[in-house]
Amino acid sequence: MPLPPLATAADLAVLLGRTFTPAQEAQAQALLDQASSVIRGYLRQDITRATTTATFTMRRPDPLRSCAGVVTLPQRPVEEVITVAVNGMATSGWWLDGTDLLVRAWTWDHPPAAHHPPRVTVTYTHGWDPVPGDIAAIAIQAANRVLVNPTQVRSETVGGEAVTYLVPTTGEALGVLLSRTEMRVLDRYRRTAGTVRVRPA
């Protein structure tokens, strides 16, 4: 199922203080859909609240963790873990440590079976409802750049006529893409190497 946009055409219309025609509303929503996809790709997160069933390879814990195995749930924040099964066997012997799901007890087989780590299937609810305001604002900004200035105009003089392009002097084209400033704002939510920076209060 497609993920919902991070902002709506109605949100953009309020920002601009205008009423869209049906054609303008459709264009605005299409741009917001694109901006939402770009943001999700950068963050590696679904962002919006959802329930997912996914299967992970269990890894051995570090010696300081008194458990049999660990999986890291990639979608954040984790709101609720609904079910857990190890190699197809349902278990209630688990607990959460941040975004790590720790399996209380499991016998790791000897070789050659040991070369095939257990598979853990988890159904869990994750994401934000509502979408954090700064993420929604960036989706609106990215879409609005194209809506109000589809040719990305920046100053230049051609044949005595002055034209202005929105492309910065650094050569960084914007459009339905993210600026460096927007990326810095989003970095607090970004998942890198299996982690995410922070969870809003």
Side-chain angles (χ1 to χ4, degrees), residues 123-146:
T123 298
Y124 68 113
T125 300
H126 52 81
W128 287 273
D129 184 16
V131 171
D134 47 358
I135 295 179
I138 289 172
I140 291 170
Q141 289 168 189
N144 187 49
R145 280 195 291 268
V146 178

Side-chain angles (χ1 to χ4, degrees), residues 42-169:
Y42 180 72
L43 295 181
R44 303 176 187 173
Q45 294 288 307
D46 290 349
I47 302 170
T48 45
R49 182 69 53 82
T51 298
T52 296
T53 298
T55 300
F56 310 94
T57 298
M58 188 161 70
R59 66 183 188 274
R60 294 181 186 274
D62 63 60
L64 299 179
R65 284 179 152 173
S66 55
C67 65
V70 182
V71 297
T72 299
L73 302 177
Q75 293 297 326
R76 323 294 171 85
V78 176
E79 291 296 320
E80 180 186 13
V81 174
I82 301 169
T83 62
V84 177
V86 183
N87 284 353
M89 298 174 58
T91 179
S92 59
W94 57 267
W95 74 96
L96 279 176
D97 180 9
T99 55
D100 284 345
L101 186 143
L102 286 72
V103 178
R104 193 176 306 280
W106 187 262
T107 301
W108 289 74
D109 294 328
H110 297 290
H115 300 303
H116 303 280
R119 302 285 284 168
V120 183
T121 300
V122 183
T123 298
Y124 68 113
T125 300
H126 52 81
W128 287 273
D129 184 16
V131 171
D134 47 358
I135 295 179
I138 289 172
I140 291 170
Q141 289 168 189
N144 187 49
R145 280 195 291 268
V146 178
L147 187 68
V148 301
N149 192 1
T151 57
Q152 300 189 26
V153 179
R154 183 182 67 193
S155 292
E156 91 177 1
T157 301
V158 179
E161 293 188 6
V163 183
T164 303
Y165 296 93
L166 188 59
V167 180
T169 55

